[in-house]
Amino acid sequence: MNLTTKIVAALVLGAIVGLLLNLTAPNVFEVLNTYLFVPVGQIFLSLINMLVVPLVFFSIVLGSAGLGDPQKLGRIGAKTIGYFLITTCIAVIIGLILAAVIQPGAAGEFDTAGAEFSTEEAPPVSETLMNIIPKNPINAMAEGNMLQLIVFAVFIGFALTALGEKTKGILSLVNQGNEIMMYLVGLVMRFAPYGTFALIATAIGTQGWNAILAMGSYMLVVLAALFIHSAITYGGTVAFLAKKNPLWFFKKFAPAMGVAFSTSSSNATLPVSMEVAQRDLKVPEPISSFVQPLGATINMDGTAIMQGVATMFIAQAYGIDLTMGELATVVLTAVLASIGTAGVPGVGLIMLAMVLGSVGLPVEGIGLIIGIDRLLDMTRTAVNITGDAACALYVGETEKNRNLQAVGRA
Ligand code: ASP
């Protein structure tokens, strides 16, 4: 059995075991969960998280040094960020339209009076963007502040290119560091089927199924929007911009989606999604190294979809109509909120407070959906990282063609 099949089988088995135990033998689940699923899941999470900071650092230094001239880096940067912004806008709009048509918030009685949620944790996006240059790069690494880490690494990459011969030694050191990290990713991935099984069994087994039934229509709208966005926006990117077969793309990228699904963390999935993109999708290393870590940090289409649907849902549940102007505000703030969302579990929901606040919707409304958010978080994280890979493939293919043309002209 190859790794993809093993991971998919582990996901399905983990879900079945979690569900069956939850419904038929909760006590047995408690024991198994405490002594088996949680420890195995946590070990897997720690193993991949351990690789994230050094991998992102080494690969971005190499990526920006490998791209060579600043003009090329600028062009790739503009293409990447442009793609991220446009697709995230499309994502929110799909979420809003679907929720406006299906009206999940009008489909039942929701306890709006009893809903509670406190907002203290949401950091303003302006602050995140202003702090993009680290005062202390070691601190940024220690805290795992991805944006700061990326900026520092790009600077180092630039310097290595500018200094050329003088710093050849450091460049080969970084290269070897990257080799070591990629080797370790491959090693850790052998453990992935067990890790994903355990994480899924915990996630599914600890759900309150009554809550899920009550929130069924909201969940279905989010899932449908995630599916439509993946099929049309990413499928379209692969087919028309990268000129590749979308089925090939989704099939090759499936192991990374499986890991995202079980970990609910774009950051934790990064080592795997980069490996898959470089090895199986043949995205050139400097491009994957630049696009994917940046995407895992700022490009969250799945999260934006959830925020669009959730905003509509909460407005409907509270019986509040949103004007066209307010909807435009929702699109803008959801794009910003998804940029500000860190690639770790559950943060998208906290950032939703910002979107609701921007159009005066009650932030306590988040209390209505918090109970079932974990299942949606798994799915939207898989979409989040797929968007990054689609972008990496698109940028990689168009840059390849450009180089070929340049060679042809020479
Ligand atoms: N868990 C998501 C991610 O890591 C972020 C979120 O929407 O909560 O991509």
Side-chain angles (χ1 to χ4, degrees), residues 103-119 215 309-322 352 356-357 359-370:
Q103 305 241 339
E109 287 289 307
F110 299 101
D111 179 19
T112 46
E116 273 177 44
F117 185 77
S118 79
T119 55
M215 294 298 289
V309 177
T311 305
M312 271 292 187
F313 171 80
I314 290 170
Q316 290 160 1
Y318 282 83
I320 301 170
D321 279 330
L322 296 174
L352 173 63
L356 297 176
V359 285
L361 285 172
V363 171
E364 311 81 76
I366 295 178
L368 295 175
I369 51 179
I370 199 164

Side-chain angles (χ1 to χ4, degrees), residues 10-319:
L11 287 176
V12 175
L13 273 180
I16 294 176
V17 169
L19 184 65
L20 284 182
L21 288 177
N22 173 296
L23 296 179
T24 59
N27 294 340
V28 180
F29 175 77
E30 267 312 303
V31 176
L32 279 177
N33 194 40
T34 315
Y35 294 103
L36 185 67
F37 302 153
V38 170
V40 172
Q42 284 307 317
I43 290 174
F44 175 58
L45 268 182
S46 304
L47 279 172
I48 40 180
N49 273 320
M50 166 178 88
L51 306 177
V52 172
V53 168
L55 176 72
V56 168
F57 179 73
F58 290 138
S59 64
I60 295 205
V61 170
L62 278 186
S64 50
L67 291 174
D69 78 281
Q71 228 184 356
K72 187 168 177 195
L73 185 59
R75 189 180 63 236
I76 291 177
K79 232 190 239 182
T80 304
I81 293 176
Y83 181 88
F84 287 168
L85 287 176
I86 293 173
T87 50
T88 309
C89 273
I90 297 176
V92 190
I93 293 171
I94 292 179
L96 285 174
I97 293 179
L98 226 54
V101 174
I102 302 179
Q103 305 241 339
E109 287 289 307
F110 299 101
D111 179 19
T112 46
E116 273 177 44
F117 185 77
S118 79
T119 55
E120 286 151 68
E121 295 156 87
V125 178
S126 56
E127 198 174 286
T128 314
L129 292 179
M130 251 163 11
N131 288 338
I132 193 165
I133 299 172
K135 284 199 197 81
N136 178 344
I138 306 296
N139 197 32
M141 289 185 193
E143 286 181 345
N145 184 324
M146 288 300 162
L147 272 185
Q148 294 190 344
L149 181 61
I150 291 172
V151 170
F152 180 62
V154 169
F155 271 115
I156 301 281
F158 255 139
L160 287 179
T161 321
L163 294 171
E165 271 302 299
K166 265 198 218 164
T167 49
K168 219 173 64 204
I170 300 274
L171 186 62
S172 74
L173 187 86
V174 175
N175 217 331
Q176 290 168 13
N178 195 49
E179 290 288 333
I180 296 176
M181 288 303 137
M182 286 316 240
Y183 173 78
L184 290 179
V185 172
L187 217 57
V188 169
M189 279 306 281
R190 293 205 205 151
F191 184 63
Y194 308 99
T196 44
F197 173 88
L199 288 169
I200 290 293
T202 301
I204 302 281
T206 47
Q207 289 303 321
W209 289 95
N210 291 338
I212 289 174
L213 290 181
M215 294 298 289
S217 53
Y218 164 74
M219 293 181 78
L220 282 180
V221 175
V222 176
L223 292 176
L226 290 172
F227 180 78
I228 293 174
H229 187 65
S230 305
I232 296 183
T233 314
Y234 303 152
T237 302
V238 174
F240 301 116
L241 297 179
K243 310 235 181 326
K244 298 267 178 195
N245 183 342
L247 289 179
W248 161 84
F249 169 78
F250 286 113
K251 202 169 147 211
K252 290 280 180 199
F253 198 62
M257 291 168 90
V259 172
F261 191 74
S262 63
T263 60
S264 288
S265 167
S266 295
N267 285 358
T269 314
L270 192 50
V272 183
S273 56
M274 284 171 66
E275 194 199 40
V276 172
Q278 292 171 16
R279 192 194 53 208
D280 300 332
L281 300 176
K282 306 275 179 275
V283 176
E285 215 179 298
I287 297 204
S288 144
S289 304
F290 177 72
V291 174
Q292 288 179 287
L294 189 65
T297 314
I298 65 168
N299 182 43
M300 308 257 174
D301 294 355
T303 301
I305 285 177
M306 176 279 286
Q307 289 170 341
V309 177
T311 305
M312 271 292 187
F313 171 80
I314 290 170
Q316 290 160 1
Y318 282 83

Side-chain angles (χ1 to χ4, degrees), residues 363-384:
V363 171
E364 311 81 76
I366 295 178
L368 295 175
I369 51 179
I370 199 164
I372 45 94
D373 192 61
R374 177 64 216 248
L375 288 181
L376 295 178
D377 195 4
M378 305 189 326
T379 327
R380 69 175 179 258
T381 306
V383 172
N384 286 345

